Amino acid sequence: MTAMVKAEAVHKYFGHVQVLKGIDLEVRAGEVFCIVGPSGSGKSTFLRCINHLEQINAGRLYVDGTLVGYREKHGKLYELRDREVAAQRRDIGMVFQRFNLFPHMTARENVMEAPVQVKGTSKREARDRADQLLDRVGLGDKRDGYPAQLSGGQQQRVAIARALAMDPKLMLFDEPTSALDPELVGEVLDVMRDLAQDGMTMVVVTHEMGFAREVGDSLVFMDDGVVVESGSPRQVLSDPQHERTKSFLSKVL
Ligand code: ADP
Ligand code: MG
């Protein structure tokens, strides 16, 4: 089985502050991999490293068997050029807590933007694909709406469609429902569940333990820059082995 993401002793510092203190994990192709943990434990930083929005300081990080941001030659690492990094990032979709849609563009234009600008897809083809994807996330009738005219849940679904428009092999979700009113969480999780059923490889940072348990294949609990505990969601959530995991879960469950 191919690892879609492989982290080996990944370290990340911001100045003197060590935020990731040796992360080892493996995300298999096609699985839903959930990351839970308290605020400040390094979850977002780790996702950002996978997508090369941050550069790691030590260790190795691979996506689909390829080193992220570097080329290794005779045991030495050489930084990739911007163009090569951009090519790596193109294959990875990311959905943030805040929807980050372009406010002056309609839903459809938001979804069309990257394929047209980055991939050079024709407008006509990008529009057809955008409409398909908006249908898929249940927003076919909102394609001409602007972000401000959409609810938070609808905006987040557009953001998911926008990430999918680049045909990513991996989707990263950073607390995609944390900014939503409770009644809008379900519609976003439904879209994610649908994607998972379709076989998309997904790394999901979430506080939605119900989703993790039901849809997740693997789960890690992170605290203070390390993976404290990992296993199947059921196992970790129902029978945590470490004090820190127990204490965290008692607060969120
Ligand atoms: P989480 O997503 O688990 O809440 P983060 O990865 O956002 O955690 O943050 C982990 C730690 O790294 C926090 O202490 C945060 O303040 C720090 N941090 C995150 N980004 C930066 C940055 N760009 N510069 C300095 N410190 C940062
Ligand atoms: Mg975070």
Side-chain angles (χ1 to χ4, degrees):
M1 194 86 184
T2 342
M4 183 57 82
V5 179
K6 192 173 164 91
E8 294 173 354
V10 166
H11 287 74
K12 174 70 190 168
Y13 306 84
F14 288 113
H16 295 295
V17 184
Q18 197 175 359
V19 174
L20 301 178
K21 305 177 179 176
I23 301 286
D24 291 284
L25 57 79
E26 202 170 305
V27 177
R28 288 168 294 134
E31 80 169 330
V32 176
F33 189 99
C34 296
I35 302 177
V36 304
S39 176
S41 54
K43 305 181 300 295
S44 294
T45 302
F46 182 64
L47 282 195
R48 293 169 62 81
C49 289
I50 295 175
N51 202 11
H52 210 274
L53 291 166
E54 302 287 354
Q55 216 166 5
I56 68 174
N57 299 110
R60 296 282 189 278
L61 190 52
Y62 301 88
V63 171
D64 204 13
T66 304
L67 209 47
V68 176
Y70 297 92
R71 177 176 294 111
E72 189 160 20
K73 219 173 166 186
H74 309 304
K76 272 192 171 168
L77 293 184
Y78 299 91
E79 280 187 31
L80 295 183
R81 294 161 220 243
D82 290 349
R83 194 159 41 84
E84 296 168 308
V85 169
Q88 287 188 335
R89 297 192 50 207
R90 211 169 292 164
D91 288 338
I92 303 174
M94 187 151 179
V95 175
F96 301 87
Q97 184 173 346
R98 298 259 157 223
F99 331 117
N100 296 336
L101 297 176
F102 302 115
H104 59 291
M105 292 183 187
T106 63
R108 180 201 259 158
E109 288 166 350
N110 265 280
V111 179
M112 289 171 61
E113 179 69 8
V116 171
Q117 297 301 330
V118 181
K119 269 193 181 165
T121 307
S122 75
K123 284 210 166 159
R124 191 199 161 129
E125 194 182 326
R127 187 180 306 117
D128 289 347
R129 177 90 173 112
D131 288 353
Q132 265 175 25
L133 288 167
L134 288 169
D135 279 340
R136 179 165 180 198
V137 300
L139 292 173
D141 57 336
K142 300 284 183 201
R143 56 187 166 219
D144 297 318
Y146 286 87
Q149 299 166 325
L150 303 175
S151 73
Q154 291 170 338
Q155 288 182 58
Q156 193 62 304
R157 287 188 280 151
V158 175
I160 293 173
R162 185 176 60 173
L164 291 173
M166 291 293 281
D167 292 318
K169 57 187 174 191
L170 169 67
M171 286 281 285
L172 309 175
F173 293 86
D174 194 358
E175 299 196 35
T177 60
S178 295
L180 298 176
D181 291 332
E183 74 272 20
L184 303 178
V185 168
E187 64 191 61
V188 172
L189 294 181
D190 284 346
V191 168
M192 292 169 63
R193 189 178 292 117
D194 178 59
L195 259 186
Q197 265 157 12
D198 223 41
M200 177 62 77
T201 310
M202 299 162 59
V203 182
V204 185
V205 173
T206 188
H207 295 297
E208 293 292 333
M209 300 303 164
F211 175 85
R213 190 188 293 261
E214 187 198 328
V215 182
D217 298 295
S218 305
L219 182 142
V220 299
F221 170 68
M222 268 180 75
D223 192 13
D224 198 21
V226 298
V227 171
V228 174
E229 183 156 358
S230 60
S232 75
R234 209 165 290 273
Q235 189 184 324
V236 178
L237 297 176
S238 312
D239 187 22
Q241 301 297 306
H242 292 260
E243 268 323 305
R244 282 197 274 176
T245 320
K246 287 179 194 172
S247 150
F248 172 76
L249 291 176
S250 71
K251 287 173 204 147
V252 297
L253 283 179

